[in-house]
Amino acid sequence: MANSVNTNVGALVALSSLRSTNASLDVTSKRVQTGFRVADASDDAAVFAVAQGIRGNIKAYASVQSSLAAGEGLGQVTAAALTGISNLIGDIKAKFANLADGSLTTDQRVVYQNDVNQLVTQIQNYIGQAAYNGKNLLTADTSVTFVADVTGTTLTLQTSSSLSAAASSFSSLFTGGYTAASNYSSAIADLGTLELLVNSISAQVAAQSRSIGLQKGFVDDLVDATKKGLGALVDADVAAESATLQSLQVRQQLNIQALSIANQQPNTLLSLFR
């Protein structure tokens, strides 16, 4: 190869190699710093577009998770109230067995009747307090719907005021109509009607709540799987990229040294004129 003071071929080769190394170093440094193999459209437009679509779906799923969590909470609060009411009905049955005893004195009967009054009042309190996020399944005849997936499918918790009405009716019957031992067989029958209603509503709420819980678990798993897929698509292998970064830094230093040596080569031509 001819020596020239106009065109330094060695320097051009070294400079080209340095440019290539610097470009690779910039890419690798960005991956290490951001943790992403594809951080923006400039890295890979097609992959970035797909990733943005997936991120949008994840945000939509977050709203679905929030809605289903609200449904799960409302179902749990309602179930807790119904369980409490069922337990109170059992306590009332025990008091009725005492009140059916014809040997009770008037004072003793008043004591038992007051106990039952308190228990019946507590049933109404449980119904009124079974609210979650401003919704009460036991005091209104409306349906509460919750978003189940990103396509807009919904799940429903069916509400009913029949329990509240039945509890009020039973309270009125007990206060006005159950005054002697002979009345308590009818009292037991009326309480049994209330108990059947409580059990029916409990079964309905449990079934609907279970559907919401299962859907929430599925959506949670779906979000986790989607995030894993997104990570596989855009995340960088930071350990590998760090090793590559060190290698490129060494190569950069070698390129700089090679360029320095190449730039010194024309000086050797001066020795021919000494």
Side-chain angles (χ1 to χ4, degrees):
M1 179 181 297
N3 292 316
S4 171
V5 295
N6 294 316
T7 303
N8 190 335
V9 176
L12 293 175
V13 172
L15 182 59
S16 176
S17 180
L18 180 60
R19 286 173 181 158
S20 176
T21 300
N22 285 341
S24 298
L25 192 60
D26 289 342
V27 171
T28 304
S29 295
K30 182 179 179 181
R31 290 176 178 176
V32 172
Q33 291 166 7
T34 64
F36 290 114
R37 182 177 61 83
V38 180
D40 50 47
S42 64
D43 295 325
D44 189 322
V47 171
F48 183 73
V50 172
Q52 286 296 93
I54 295 174
R55 291 187 178 105
N57 287 339
I58 291 174
K59 290 179 180 179
Y61 278 126
S63 297
V64 172
Q65 287 175 306
S66 177
S67 180
L68 290 173
E72 196 171 42
L74 180 57
Q76 290 172 348
V77 167
T78 305
L82 289 168
T83 299
I85 292 169
S86 180
N87 292 336
L88 289 173
I89 289 175
D91 294 338
I92 293 173
K93 282 184 179 179
K95 298 299 180 183
F96 277 178
N98 295 128
L99 286 167
D101 186 354
S103 67
L104 292 178
T105 66
T106 300
D107 290 341
Q108 289 172 332
R109 187 170 298 282
V110 168
V111 170
Y112 283 123
Q113 286 174 331
N114 287 339
D115 282 347
V116 175
N117 280 333
Q118 291 299 318
L119 292 172
V120 172
T121 298
Q122 192 59 39
I123 287 177
Q124 293 174 314
N125 289 341
Y126 282 1
I127 292 172
Q129 294 167 8
Y132 180 86
N133 196 27
K135 301 293 184 180
N136 190 322
L137 296 179
L138 305 179
T139 60
D141 288 321
T142 57
S143 298
V144 182
T145 59
F146 304 93
V147 179
D149 58 39
V150 294
T151 65
T153 303
T154 59
L155 291 175
T156 301
L157 283 175
Q158 184 68 42
T159 64
S160 173
S161 62
S162 59
L163 179 58
S164 179
S168 297
S169 176
F170 178 78
S171 177
S172 299
L173 288 172
F174 179 79
T175 302
Y178 307 143
T179 57
S182 59
N183 297 136
Y184 288 99
S185 60
S186 60
I188 285 291
D190 291 334
L191 182 63
T193 300
L194 178 62
E195 184 177 30
L196 287 174
L197 180 60
V198 170
N199 291 340
S200 175
I201 295 175
S202 294
Q204 176 182 319
V205 171
Q208 294 171 349
S209 297
R210 183 169 56 250
S211 294
I212 290 177
L214 290 172
Q215 182 65 19
K216 182 177 181 298
F218 172 70
V219 171
D220 290 344
D221 291 342
L222 195 60
V223 169
D224 290 343
T226 302
K227 287 180 178 178
K228 289 178 183 178
L230 176 62
L233 192 64
V234 300
D235 286 354
D237 184 342
V238 177
E241 296 296 344
S242 296
T244 301
L245 181 64
Q246 293 182 3
S247 174
L248 288 170
Q249 287 172 335
V250 171
R251 188 187 303 174
Q252 182 187 51
Q253 295 300 316
L254 291 174
N255 289 154
I256 292 173
Q257 187 174 0
L259 181 61
S260 176
I261 293 172
N263 283 332
Q264 292 175 3
Q265 184 176 356
N267 291 331
T268 60
L269 297 176
L270 293 177
S271 63
L272 299 175
F273 299 94
R274 291 174 185 167

